[in-house]
Amino acid sequence: MRLFIAINLSDEMKDALRDAQNRMYRSGVRGSYTPPENMHLTLAFIGEYPDAEPITDALSAVSFAPFELSLDGMGCFGNLWWAGIGESAPLTALVRKLRRALAENGIPFDRKRFSPHVTLIRKASGKLPAIQLQPASMTVNAGSLMRSDRGRNGMIYTELFAWEAQG
Ligand code: 2AM
């Protein structure tokens, strides 16, 4: 199984992201647009791993209180265009605790520096236009262990385990 840990986004966040995608499409940008059901914020990418149970055990031991996230601007890694997430101390703390728990349990993950983003377009054509995102925010009440499968028409992400905030 190809696994990652993510925050799934609220409808309000997805609507704002969808609106930005629509404007980019109308301005001629072509590429592989992330469908709303696939929009998420990755906290840790595990990759191929045979068993979800040690991961759900590790996640269950990481507690966090609900916190707010908001969108903040757009950026790109080459031809992968994304929407950024505003600076958030609780998010940074959660990722640090989560990654430490994975490491302590011997679960491998991509140790690249955390750069909170939601991918909007892969293989985007042209240059990133100056598009303003509609303001949007959400309360994070849970994180998710996700499985990624290659479907006939793109990636299919399935939630295997929801890990709830406390309080
Ligand atoms: P991306 O959107 O920036 O590509 C599922 O692939 C999720 O894991 C995506 O959000 C992807 O981020 C993220 N991810 C992080 N590191 C990855 C890696 N090394 N390989 C594939 N996906 C990775």
Side-chain angles (χ1 to χ4, degrees):
M1 295 184 291
R2 186 180 164 91
L3 302 175
F4 62 101
I5 297 163
I7 291 170
N8 287 315
L9 303 181
S10 67
D11 288 342
E12 184 194 339
M13 296 274 263
K14 290 183 184 183
D15 287 348
L17 297 170
R18 196 78 187 125
D19 168 73
Q21 285 180 321
N22 287 338
R23 281 183 285 141
M24 289 190 281
Y25 190 81
R26 284 198 301 269
S27 72
V29 177
R30 294 296 175 263
S32 172
Y33 280 69
T34 306
E37 66 273 18
N38 281 3
M39 290 174 177
H40 63 270
L41 167 63
T42 296
L43 304 181
F45 180 77
I46 294 170
E48 278 302 323
Y49 200 73
D51 186 7
E53 200 176 308
I55 305 173
T56 59
D57 288 350
L59 290 180
S60 302
V62 175
S63 63
F64 66 101
F67 61 95
E68 292 294 308
L69 280 188
S70 54
L71 297 178
D72 184 22
M74 291 201 33
C76 60
F77 304 139
N79 63 7
L80 184 154
W81 294 6
W82 44 260
I85 298 292
E87 184 69 36
S88 161
L91 174 64
T92 308
L94 172 60
V95 169
R96 193 174 306 128
K97 279 203 276 186
L98 158 67
R99 292 183 174 204
R100 191 183 309 131
L102 294 175
E104 283 171 1
N105 286 278
I107 297 156
F109 60 94
D110 186 338
R111 289 171 188 258
K112 251 196 327 274
R113 201 174 69 84
F114 178 54
S115 168
H117 68 277
V118 180
T119 296
L120 296 183
I121 314 180
R122 294 176 197 278
K123 302 191 192 112
S125 64
K127 267 184 36 192
L128 188 66
I131 279 196
Q132 290 290 322
L133 287 172
Q134 280 174 14
S137 59
M138 66 179 276
T139 304
V140 178
N141 289 306
S144 304
L145 174 62
M146 305 294 292
R147 191 179 78 207
S148 157
D149 296 290
R150 193 168 292 282
R152 198 187 273 267
N153 297 309
M155 302 310 288
I156 299 169
Y157 298 142
T158 311
E159 183 179 72
L160 299 183
F161 174 71
W163 138 72
E164 310 276 338
Q166 262 104 50

